Amino acid sequence: MVLLLAGTRAAEIPRILPPTPKPEGFYIQSHNEMDRLAGPADTANFTAKLGVDWTVFTEDRIHPIRHAKGLPKRWLEDMANHSQIFKGLARPGEFYVFQIGLFAARRPVEEIGMVFGDLKGPNGSLNRDRFRCFNLGGTNCHGEPFIKQLAVPLGHLQALWVGIDVPMDANGVYRGSIQIHDLAAGGGMSIGLELEVAGEPLRDHGDGDSWRLSRLRWLDSTIGLDEDTVTQPFVPILREGNVLKLLGRDLALGADGLPRQIRSHFNAGNTRITPGPGWAILDAPIHLVIETSDGPVAFGTPAMQFTREQNGSTAWRATSESAGFKMVVQGVLEYDGFADFRCQIQSTQTTAVRDIRLEVPVSAPAATFFMGLGQPGGNCPSALDWNWNPKFNQDGFWIGAVNGGFKLQLYGANWRAPLINCYYHSRELMVPESWGGGNGHLGGIRLSHSLSGGRQAVAYSGPRDFKPGQALDFNFRLYLTPFKTLDTEQQWAMRYQHNTQGVEDADYRDLQRVKARGANVINIHHNKEQNPAINYPLFDWSLPSLKQCTAEAHARGIRVKIYYTTREL
């Protein structure tokens, strides 16, 4: 097996594990058959003979489609095995994965549709409900189903990954078909599907072998979405009227669904929760203000109700109406102190707006330290005037004291997570069309002294014209700090051993030396025999070494931490 890591030469990769049989022909390499593309003349000749505007090819999972333009030569050289029908070999219980490649030969395909049929077998059927195409939909991060509209430009090749949840009791050859359609222009084609199921059942659906790609179904996972689950050391959310109590903090809501007060119960060192009413982080309620030429818009009495109450999260909805506007606030507080406020302002008539702003009055005790908006962490500035700029990953700030404060993050309906540090300019911040992006980046944040000695933070958006029926999302998030108490005895007792100098680190082979140095935690960075790939420690060939190292470390009272930068994904 050859695996080339970024910044690593093949000669540097040590031979650390006994030879492993290649699973059913699987072979990882820097270039493979799918990189051997047909030339322009061969592709043009194929297209000229094609009797339809677009067509499909079938391919096994061990040859992933790697190019968006161009056709692999293996397809044109062996059309019989890459068109009309796909034949696969699966194990009982496996989540079996294969590919369909759609080639937009003569015109673009505006919207792909796929219809699965039952597969008929000797002792029953594989129901169509066991099929899915990952490219066309699934389950989102909120556990909700979604459908994705997928188009293929002229001359492009689109890989469509299909998964089949094979039952544990399946056996024999199952036959059926899949229909692929152009939903926008009409027309479609059918490919046959023949799946042979044989061998010992796979109790883990095949997840133990990464080459099977059964882990693709993890994209639909709802793990972590159980709103009744509360992890240590946090406690369930307790509601008393409109006051939500969580570990060391209270969030009091106004009738408009926005924070009326935030209180902290942490002591000065964050080592324990103190009894009593706590101390106030806000000087006054947070307000979302709409201002016209007649001044701030006056809303009628809001209507608020709690829509979900579970141990791990509480959700609510509030509606406020005025002459010309309707404001809907949908909020959720999670048990660790994360609060999300989705505030949609809807216009019922044509209105010239001078400003829509979020007013955040911070008390003097909480206006001690500040970080963000280009300011390094330190004392809270007396004044600040900041404007949106996509060149910088800035969309909010943190303000507070050591034992009480919050991070405020602004976002809109067009929000997406930018990439981090050195990759940032490959996917920059999307300036919210509400807070500042829809009117020439006129929006920003001003920080100024308040009469109480605290600070008044105002996130403003500037003037704009509203049309009847228009809606904008002035969303924001609050992270109520601190999140939990410090266990100083445990904190000071942890001693890390970091090794970053190469794959042959002797310390991971001689854990007794780690112990002698006084360390009780080892951090296994990437480019090590136990963890070669920076973002995926569940790597078949290194897992035995990682398991062995972990077991030996635990036997000596040493804990193991794996360097696993999910942020890079």
Side-chain angles (χ1 to χ4, degrees):
M1 167 186 156
V2 178
L3 172 69
L4 295 181
L5 302 175
T8 306
R9 297 188 299 274
E12 296 174 332
I13 301 177
R15 299 289 183 179
I16 54 166
L17 297 173
T20 305
K22 296 169 187 173
E24 301 182 24
F26 182 66
Y27 195 76
I28 297 178
Q29 53 187 359
S30 59
H31 295 283
N32 65 21
E33 287 190 68
M34 301 302 283
D35 292 317
R36 194 170 60 94
L37 300 178
D42 290 336
T43 303
N45 183 52
F46 169 78
T47 301
K49 294 179 180 179
L50 198 62
V52 291
D53 292 330
W54 55 272
T55 190
V56 295
F57 298 87
T58 63
E59 184 57 82
D60 194 272
R61 57 192 166 190
I62 66 172
H63 291 107
I65 297 172
R66 296 156 61 109
H67 297 274
K69 296 194 74 173
L71 296 176
K73 277 190 174 182
R74 59 184 273 113
W75 291 354
L76 301 187
E77 292 170 351
D78 188 9
M79 289 289 294
N81 285 318
H82 295 286
S83 62
Q84 307 303 319
I85 190 170
F86 175 80
K87 298 181 180 181
L89 174 63
R91 300 262 290 275
E94 180 175 6
F95 187 83
Y96 184 82
V97 175
F98 68 99
Q99 303 168 90
I100 298 172
L102 190 151
F103 177 52
R106 294 178 174 174
R107 64 167 176 84
V109 177
E110 299 298 336
E111 184 178 359
I112 299 173
M114 192 175 292
V115 178
F116 301 105
D118 297 342
L119 297 188
K120 305 294 184 181
N123 301 307
S125 301
L126 300 186
N127 190 276
R128 68 191 67 188
D129 293 339
R130 291 182 170 273
F131 292 69
R132 60 150 306 183
C133 177
F134 291 96
N135 305 78
L136 301 180
T139 303
N140 67 16
C141 61
H142 302 293
E144 303 162 341
F146 73 95
I147 297 174
K148 182 178 180 180
Q149 183 174 329
L150 183 63
V152 186
L154 174 64
H156 282 238
L157 174 66
Q158 174 65 52
L160 301 171
W161 286 92
V162 177
I164 307 174
D165 186 11
V166 180
M168 293 293 291
D169 59 355
N171 186 59
V173 178
Y174 295 81
R175 295 181 175 88
S177 63
I178 299 176
Q179 307 288 330
I180 299 97
H181 301 280
D182 182 349
L183 299 178
M189 59 187 63
S190 175
I191 61 168
L193 181 57
E194 184 177 298
L195 188 67
E196 181 181 352
V197 182
E200 290 295 318
L202 293 176
R203 302 293 173 183
D204 63 353
H205 304 285
D207 297 343
D209 299 314
S210 62
W211 62 270
R212 295 183 188 275
L213 302 185
S214 62
R215 299 175 193 174
L216 279 174
R217 80 185 205 290
W218 294 358
L219 291 171
D220 288 334
S221 174
T222 56
I223 211 167
L225 293 179
D226 182 358
E227 301 294 349
D228 263 334
T229 298
V230 177
T231 58
Q232 296 180 353
F234 298 102
V235 297
I237 297 172
L238 174 65
R239 181 170 75 87
E240 296 180 357
N242 280 13
V243 179
L244 304 178
K245 296 178 176 289
L246 60 162
L247 181 67
R249 292 144 294 168
D250 301 336
L251 175 64
L253 299 170
D256 58 0
L258 299 176
R260 176 168 51 86
Q261 185 55 270
I262 303 168
R263 289 187 174 273
S264 171
H265 299 271
F266 286 85
N267 71 344
N270 291 335
T271 55
R272 62 187 176 89
I273 307 297
T274 59
W279 62 277
I281 292 174
L282 298 178
D283 257 348
I286 293 176
H287 283 304
L288 189 57
V289 178
I290 305 173
E291 183 180 346
T292 68
S293 58
D294 296 326
V297 172
F299 284 91
T301 303
M304 177 182 165
Q305 62 178 350
F306 287 90
T307 57
R308 183 178 72 240
E309 294 187 65
Q310 294 177 275
N311 288 329
S313 73
T314 297
W316 60 93
R317 177 186 173 91
T319 303
S320 307
E321 295 192 47
S322 72
F325 291 99
K326 179 180 179 180
M327 181 170 68
V328 178
V329 175
Q330 297 187 81
V332 61
L333 174 69
E334 297 181 356
Y335 64 86
D336 57 357
F338 167 79
D340 187 33
F341 297 83
R342 300 186 181 185
C343 310
Q344 186 174 85
I345 293 177
Q346 305 168 5
S347 174
T348 58
Q349 62 188 33
T350 300
T351 309
V353 172
R354 284 185 173 179
D355 191 21
I356 298 178
R357 59 183 179 269
L358 187 72
E359 297 179 347
V360 186
V362 183
S363 69
T368 306
F369 302 114
F370 185 94
M371 182 168 63
L373 307 182
Q375 302 292 310
N379 292 327
C380 186
S382 298
L384 179 69
D385 197 344
W386 169 89
N387 294 101
W388 289 94
N389 188 339
K391 293 185 180 297
F392 303 105
N393 189 1
Q394 299 172 4
D395 55 9
F397 60 86
W398 175 84
I399 189 170
V402 170
N403 61 334
F406 59 85
K407 174 187 172 182
L408 170 69
Q409 182 185 25
L410 305 174
Y411 73 103
N414 63 333
W415 185 84
R416 66 177 188 183
L419 298 181
I420 51 94
N421 53 48
C422 58
Y423 305 111
Y424 172 71
H425 291 293
S426 296
R427 188 183 180 185
E428 296 180 344
L429 179 76
M430 292 281 285
V431 175
E433 78 287 7
S434 52
W435 292 111
N439 54 3
H441 296 188
L442 297 178
I445 297 175
R446 293 193 187 97
L447 186 73
S448 60
H449 263 289
S450 63
L451 295 177
S452 69
R455 297 292 188 276
Q456 175 84 348
V458 177
Y460 60 92
S461 62
R464 59 168 27 100
D465 292 330
F466 265 98
K467 298 178 181 179
Q470 184 179 356
L472 285 173
D473 295 303
F474 289 83
N475 304 333
F476 66 95
R477 297 171 176 140
L478 292 178
Y479 303 75
L480 309 181
T481 63
F483 294 114
K484 56 186 177 180
T485 54
L486 289 172
D487 185 340
T488 52
E489 290 189 12
Q490 182 189 56
Q491 197 83 10
W492 308 143
M494 295 176 69
R495 295 289 183 267
Y496 277 81
Q497 170 78 39
H498 284 270
N499 288 64
T500 61
Q501 297 303 314
V503 294
E504 295 287 358
D505 284 318
D507 282 334
Y508 296 149
R509 299 178 182 279
D510 186 2
L511 291 166
Q512 198 59 40
R513 183 161 66 174
V514 174
K515 193 76 171 179
R517 288 175 175 172
N520 54 17
V521 183
I522 57 173
N523 196 331
I524 303 182
H525 287 257
H526 69 287
N527 193 23
K528 304 293 184 295
E529 61 186 54
Q530 299 89 354
N531 185 24
I534 187 170
N535 283 323
Y536 209 67
L538 306 177
F539 185 58
D540 295 354
W541 272 261
S542 60
L543 263 179
S545 180
L546 179 61
K547 288 181 178 179
Q548 180 182 354
C549 177
T550 303
E552 292 178 358
H554 287 178
R556 291 170 170 79
I558 299 171
R559 301 169 72 184
V560 177
K561 192 173 184 179
I562 304 166
Y563 186 70
Y564 182 32
T565 55
T566 54
R567 66 178 192 174
E568 308 294 346
L569 302 180

